[in-house]
Amino acid sequence: MSQGRPIKNVTNPDRIGSYFRLEAGPLLLVTVSGLLYNLGMLAGPYFEGQLVQRLFDIINGNKTFASMVTLALTYLAVILIVQVMRAIKRFYVRRFANNTSRNMRHMLYNSLVNMSKVELEQEDLGAVMTKAIADVDACVEGMRKFTTEIFDTGVVLVAYLGLLFFYDWRLAMLASLFTPLAYLIAGGLKTRITRYNAEYKKSAGRLNNATMDRISNAVTYRIYGREQNRDQAYEAHLQDYEQRAVLANLWENTMQPLYNIISMCGAVLVIYFGARNVQGSGWTSWDIAAFTTFLSAFTKMALKSSKAAKLFNAVQKAQVSWQRIKPLMKAYVVPNTNTTLDFSRPPQLEVTDVSLRWPGSTWSLNAISFSAAPGQIIGVTGAVAGGKSTLGKAFIGEVPYQGSIRVGDRELSELSAYERSRLIAYLGHEPELMSCSIAENIRLGKQESIAAVLETVCLDQEIAQMPQGAATSVGSGGIRLSGGQQARTALARTLYNAGPILILDDPFSAVDRRTEQAIFRNLRRLAKGKIVLLISHRLYLFPDLDRVLFLDNGSGIFSTHAALLKENNAYARLYRAQMAGGEQHD
Ligand SMILES: Nc1ncnc2c1ncn2[C@@H]1O[C@H](COP(=O)(O)OP(=O)(O)OP(=O)(O)O)[C@@H](O)[C@H]1O
């Protein structure tokens, strides 16, 4: 990875002013160069007037050609300085925009990756992608335009207006009356532009969602013959997006010529009353230089002020995007990798009187108590929907618990997310493979060898036969692997990243019994010194486990397999039924 400029964390990231403050340095340079450039713009009309006057004087024999050349060269030198200022200003405005874009994305990214599972599930992925890319771009573009135009339009307008008032204040007032009209129209269109832009952004989010859904579920739709139906739905989203894009663009862009025409109406007055000034019958007395300077300055001002109206619209558009991303701009979460855990000794696990309940659900698991020592494999089983997976999820903080789960000398709920991840490795029901290679799925960014874990999960030989070995891409969600290969890749990932406690939820459901037994033997070796909670609805291996937690009717019985078989009818029935079924299969 390239070692770029460090990105700054933003205090009060939900306030737009914070991003301006963070870039105070570049903005100061923009201010200085912007003021010099825009005040220097007055040189144009001034020198144009002087040149016309000089030409008039040369024709009348009052001035020499050499004085005209000197005047022209002075004009050129001033223009050069002004243009250098312009280049400096542009450079720093661009730098401000680039830095702001990086800072905003940095904060947004941090906020997204630190969302809880529940929050992530509530977010609509297509809308999030639109916010993370298009809305940040629109927002930064609005900030860039605002920063540029505050000088290129604001300062220059004031400068031109000052010049016009200096030459003839009455005519300046009269001719400038048209400009506020253009602003009024732009202001009137504000709500419309906001509304159409917000609708356009929502539609972009829906289209992104439909695209992602269509791609990630392409095979499912193909199998069920629903491709045409989905394509029609996608087409409808696309059409909606196009229509809203056109509407948003129309209101934002097509008004410019109207603003121009309105602002330029004043030029007619300048020509009429300015000519009277030159003739000596107007409000003041002018030479040709004054007339030319006034007309030139007015034209430039009128064009600039019509751009200001467009600027309001651009800022409006940026505000729409800012409102969309603002709720996601949360205080930066610094990764907390501090820990007081003692990793030199494997911890004991002590679960006492634990109750679990999903928020908003009436279902619960009560009075669960069990313990485990390093090196032990504990089986967890029970009826369908008996709470096996829920118990596993309690160890990774997905479901709240009451009672006590002590890992070594610490209470589980008091551990930080980092500490929990160092202590507990969890393999869920689904393989949840990512769309990359087998090796990348297992390593998750680490670089150590994966050979040992591939061997443990009995995947080494199959991978050796693949043309690209462990670099084979698993496809979206692991689609290019068999179910058993997916399950074993996921198990390999958990073992590769294992802490002292392993929670394995049905790791063998997609493999045959022989492979299951081979993996189990390897697991025993690999898990020496670790605690393994083996959640399973299949009981073949349970006679070999150190202890069994049997979940029955919302509570748990913790014993050995042999004792449960003897003393618990429900467990015995479950086990014998499976053995009978298994023997038939074998
Ligand atoms: N995310 C959730 N939110 C609310 N309730 C849930 C959630 N996940 C599971 N449940 C409920 O918790 C109960 C136990 O489900 P759980 O998945 O733990 O059972 P299980 O024993 O693992 O089932 P199976 O053998 O079918 O895998 C069920 O009634 C289920 O509907």
Side-chain angles (χ1 to χ4, degrees), residues 236-478:
H237 281 301
L238 187 62
Q239 255 177 34
D240 180 71
Y241 170 77
E242 283 168 356
Q243 277 165 8
R244 289 181 197 279
V246 168
L247 269 177
N249 248 298
L250 204 70
W251 286 104
E252 193 198 335
N253 293 320
T254 51
M255 300 311 285
Q256 183 65 38
L258 182 68
Y259 302 148
N260 284 353
I261 292 166
I262 295 171
S263 293
M264 287 301 282
C265 284
V268 179
L269 300 176
V270 172
I271 291 168
Y272 177 72
F273 288 101
R276 289 181 57 151
N277 283 348
V278 175
Q279 285 164 357
S281 56
W283 285 311
T284 186
S285 176
W286 278 357
D287 58 7
I288 290 175
F291 178 80
T292 312
T293 299
F294 195 94
L295 184 61
S296 168
F298 179 80
T299 319
K300 287 188 167 92
M301 188 196 77
L303 287 177
K304 273 285 171 202
S305 59
S306 66
K307 279 208 181 118
K310 203 182 163 205
L311 168 72
F312 293 158
N313 295 345
V315 170
Q316 200 64 34
K317 194 173 139 193
Q319 274 173 356
V320 173
S321 287
W322 174 246
Q323 289 310 324
R324 282 166 53 86
I325 55 177
K326 193 176 157 184
L328 293 173
M329 294 304 211
K330 298 195 180 132
Y332 190 82
V333 180
V334 182
N336 175 12
T337 52
N338 297 333
T339 175
T340 50
L341 289 174
D342 176 11
F343 288 100
S344 61
R345 283 181 299 137
Q348 299 266 342
L349 178 64
E350 195 68 49
V351 177
T352 315
D353 208 13
V354 159
S355 301
L356 302 171
R357 182 193 293 274
W358 287 99
S361 159
T362 50
W363 177 90
S364 67
L365 206 55
N366 298 300
I368 306 293
S369 295
F370 67 95
S371 61
Q376 286 191 326
I377 302 185
I378 311 293
V380 178
T381 193
V384 170
K388 302 182 287 298
S389 297
T390 303
L391 179 65
K393 285 175 183 170
F395 283 86
I396 51 167
E398 251 188 53
V399 57
Y401 72 87
Q402 284 180 327
S404 165
I405 300 180
R406 290 200 77 80
V407 184
D409 57 356
R410 302 279 300 274
E411 183 62 35
L412 182 72
S413 57
E414 286 162 9
L415 297 176
S416 69
Y418 171 74
E419 288 177 321
R420 202 169 51 211
S421 76
R422 294 288 316 271
L423 283 176
I424 295 167
Y426 171 80
L427 171 66
H429 226 272
E430 299 299 321
E432 294 188 351
L433 297 183
M434 290 171 274
S435 203
C436 50
S437 71
I438 295 173
E440 285 164 328
N441 260 294
I442 295 171
R443 284 198 184 113
L444 297 180
K446 282 194 204 161
Q447 286 309 322
E448 290 112 61
S449 164
I450 56 170
V453 288
L454 288 182
E455 212 180 305
T456 306
V457 301
C458 303
L459 200 59
D460 50 335
Q461 287 171 19
E462 278 159 80
I463 285 183
Q465 279 162 18
M466 295 178 186
Q468 288 173 287
T472 303
S473 170
V474 306
S476 172

Side-chain angles (χ1 to χ4, degrees), residues 112-322:
L112 291 176
V113 298
N114 283 296
M115 273 181 169
S116 69
K117 194 164 185 243
V118 177
E119 283 174 318
L120 275 171
E121 278 164 3
Q122 279 165 358
E123 276 291 338
D124 173 343
L125 201 55
V128 168
M129 290 311 287
T130 313
K131 287 173 189 172
I133 298 168
D135 281 314
V136 172
D137 282 345
C139 204
V140 172
E141 183 56 11
M143 289 165 82
R144 186 191 70 77
K145 274 196 178 141
F146 175 76
T147 312
T148 307
E149 297 304 334
I150 198 111
F151 296 102
D152 288 4
T153 304
V155 173
V156 89
L157 274 185
V158 173
Y160 280 140
L161 214 58
L163 191 77
L164 296 181
F165 270 74
F166 172 75
Y167 276 92
D168 184 344
W169 68 271
R170 292 184 196 86
L171 182 52
M173 269 180 68
L174 193 65
S176 306
L177 278 180
F178 291 92
T179 306
L181 193 63
Y183 292 168
L184 268 178
I185 294 176
L189 292 175
K190 217 167 76 173
T191 38
R192 216 163 273 221
I193 289 173
T194 309
R195 198 179 73 224
Y196 286 124
N197 237 297
E199 283 172 5
Y200 162 58
K201 286 285 155 54
K202 278 188 195 148
S203 178
R206 287 194 293 268
L207 181 66
N208 278 344
N209 246 341
T211 311
M212 280 190 284
D213 173 69
R214 187 68 186 85
I215 295 167
S216 49
N217 300 315
V219 176
T220 311
Y221 291 134
R222 197 171 305 149
I223 292 168
Y224 288 98
R226 303 300 290 164
E227 284 185 302
Q228 213 179 352
N229 171 284
R230 288 298 82 203
D231 288 347
Q232 278 164 4
Y234 175 80
E235 197 59 39
H237 281 301
L238 187 62
Q239 255 177 34
D240 180 71
Y241 170 77
E242 283 168 356
Q243 277 165 8
R244 289 181 197 279
V246 168
L247 269 177
N249 248 298
L250 204 70
W251 286 104
E252 193 198 335
N253 293 320
T254 51
M255 300 311 285
Q256 183 65 38
L258 182 68
Y259 302 148
N260 284 353
I261 292 166
I262 295 171
S263 293
M264 287 301 282
C265 284
V268 179
L269 300 176
V270 172
I271 291 168
Y272 177 72
F273 288 101
R276 289 181 57 151
N277 283 348
V278 175
Q279 285 164 357
S281 56
W283 285 311
T284 186
S285 176
W286 278 357
D287 58 7
I288 290 175
F291 178 80
T292 312
T293 299
F294 195 94
L295 184 61
S296 168
F298 179 80
T299 319
K300 287 188 167 92
M301 188 196 77
L303 287 177
K304 273 285 171 202
S305 59
S306 66
K307 279 208 181 118
K310 203 182 163 205
L311 168 72
F312 293 158
N313 295 345
V315 170
Q316 200 64 34
K317 194 173 139 193
Q319 274 173 356
V320 173
S321 287
W322 174 246

